[in-house]
């Protein structure tokens, strides 16, 4: 079964992209909580979501998002202490989680300091406890995309891409890189909604390969294709600059 190309929404810049993402997250949270008593979101690290996280801790989004019923997880984490400057948990804590009325019990941190293998198992136990023994069904997964096409900590050609049994896996990387823990593709693809945020010209080639050329095998970010969930790539103009659609729009605008 061939899946449709991912939907791409293009914004003038990272600020506009982040505002749109914040609006969408509030909408999805309210929709999830209208149906049940909780909204589960998995966050990513990196630089792109910083602006979005800061917005979620600011008016009007801070007051609009139903924090009481929101449960925060991570798509991946580096195997460092939670106060390490490279920690994805620390990034989220400093930019949003410490600034909003989110119950501490609703923060489901990946204990990266335990080391990749043990932390992956601990996190899986947390996921199974929260979601029940079925595969984790996040309401929303927030992802970025690296210039090499990685997403979360799923890297091109990595054996983690083939895993179907695990919810979270260790990723052993050699120093000076940090080993990591990552959600697996089945979990990412089991989400109701996936937002992939990409900004900057450096991301344009991987965006073109995934969105226009459907070149999925080489780019893990292209393997994120929820079978029944909703996938949206949210791009600034620079990251979308090689897309045929945008080129057509720009030609149309010039005529
Ligand atoms: C991480 C992220 C990673 C990130 C991409 C894009 O832990 O580093 O989860 O997958 O989303 O590397 O990072 P930028 O937003 O910094 O380009």
């Amino acid at each position: 079964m061939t899946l449709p190309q991912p939907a791409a929404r293009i914004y003038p810049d990272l600020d506009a992209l982040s505002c749109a993402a914040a609006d969408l997250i509030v909408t999805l949270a309210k929709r999830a909580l209208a149906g049940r008593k909780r909204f589960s979101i998995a966050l990513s690290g990196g630089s792109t979501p910083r602006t979005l996280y800061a917005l979620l801790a600011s008016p009007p989004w801070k007051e609009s998002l139903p924090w009481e019923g929101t449960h925060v997880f991570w798509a991946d984490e580096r195997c460092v202490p939670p106060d390490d400057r490279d920690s994805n948990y620390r990034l989220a804590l400093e930019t949003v989680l410490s600034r909003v009325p989110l119950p501490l019990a609703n923060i489901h941190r990946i204990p990266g300091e335990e080391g990749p293998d043990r932390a992956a198992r601990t996190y899986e136990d947390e996921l199974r406890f929260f979601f029940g023994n079925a595969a984790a069904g996040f309401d929303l997964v927030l992802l970025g995309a690296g210039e090499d096409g990685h997403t979360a900590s799923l890297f091109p050609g990595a054996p983690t891409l083939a895993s179907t049994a695990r919810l979270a896996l260790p990723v052993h990387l050699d120093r000076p890189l940090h080993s990591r823990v990552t959600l697996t593709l089945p979990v990412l693809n089991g989400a109701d909604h996936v937002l992939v945020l990409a900004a900057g010209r450096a991301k344009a080639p991987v965006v073109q390969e995934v969105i226009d050329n459907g070149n999925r095998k080489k780019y893990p970010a292209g393997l994120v294709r929820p079978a029944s969930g909703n996938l949206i790539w949210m791009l600034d103009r620079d990251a979308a600059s090689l897309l045929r659609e945008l080129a057509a729009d720009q030609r149309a605008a010039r005529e």
Side-chain angles (χ1 to χ4, degrees), residues 197-210:
L197 274 58
R201 197 161 296 274
K203 303 294 175 75
V206 69
V207 167
Q208 180 189 37
E209 282 297 329
V210 169

Side-chain angles (χ1 to χ4, degrees), residues 16-28 51-53 55-56 61 65 195 197 234:
L17 183 162
S18 304
C19 284
D23 286 342
L24 188 48
I25 290 169
V26 170
T27 299
L28 293 175
T51 306
L52 165 60
Y53 294 165
L55 289 180
L56 292 174
W61 300 280
L65 207 151
L195 301 183
L197 274 58
M234 301 183 81

Side-chain angles (χ1 to χ4, degrees), residues 10 198 200 203-204 207 235-244 246-247:
I10 301 167
K203 303 294 175 75
V207 167
L235 310 169
D236 72 353
R237 275 202 173 278
D238 284 341
S241 56
L242 296 179
L243 287 181
R244 284 193 295 273
L246 185 68

Side-chain angles (χ1 to χ4, degrees), residues 67-97:
W67 294 104
E68 188 66 27
T70 295
H71 287 261
V72 176
F73 294 78
W74 277 263
D76 66 334
E77 182 57 280
R78 291 83 182 278
C79 290
V80 295
D83 61 353
D84 187 288
R85 64 191 175 90
D86 290 334
S87 162
N88 290 346
Y89 163 79
R90 176 176 162 180
L91 165 66
L93 183 70
E94 288 180 343
T95 52
V96 55
L97 303 185

Side-chain angles (χ1 to χ4, degrees), residues 43-50 75-78 86-88 142-148 150-155 180-182 197-199 203:
L43 304 178
S44 277
S47 56
T48 306
R50 273 186 171 276
D76 66 334
E77 182 57 280
R78 291 83 182 278
D86 290 334
S87 162
N88 290 346
L142 196 56
L143 295 173
E147 293 175 40
D148 62 354
H150 80 264
T151 194
S153 288
L154 296 166
F155 293 95
R180 296 156 175 238
V181 173
T182 187
L197 274 58
K203 303 294 175 75

Side-chain angles (χ1 to χ4, degrees), residues 109-185:
R109 186 177 71 84
I110 301 174
E113 68 279 10
E114 293 180 0
D117 297 293
R118 190 168 158 204
R121 289 290 181 188
T122 302
Y123 192 45
E124 275 190 313
D125 291 344
E126 177 101 4
L127 290 164
R128 292 193 194 286
F129 179 75
F130 183 83
F131 288 107
N133 268 320
F138 282 102
D139 294 300
L140 172 62
V141 174
L142 196 56
L143 295 173
E147 293 175 40
D148 62 354
H150 80 264
T151 194
S153 288
L154 296 166
F155 293 95
T160 48
L161 294 172
S163 175
T164 55
R166 298 285 298 273
L167 302 181
L169 278 172
V171 180
H172 295 274
L173 298 175
D174 297 328
R175 290 188 181 285
L177 298 174
H178 297 302
S179 288
R180 296 156 175 238
V181 173
T182 187
L183 290 180
T184 57
L185 274 175

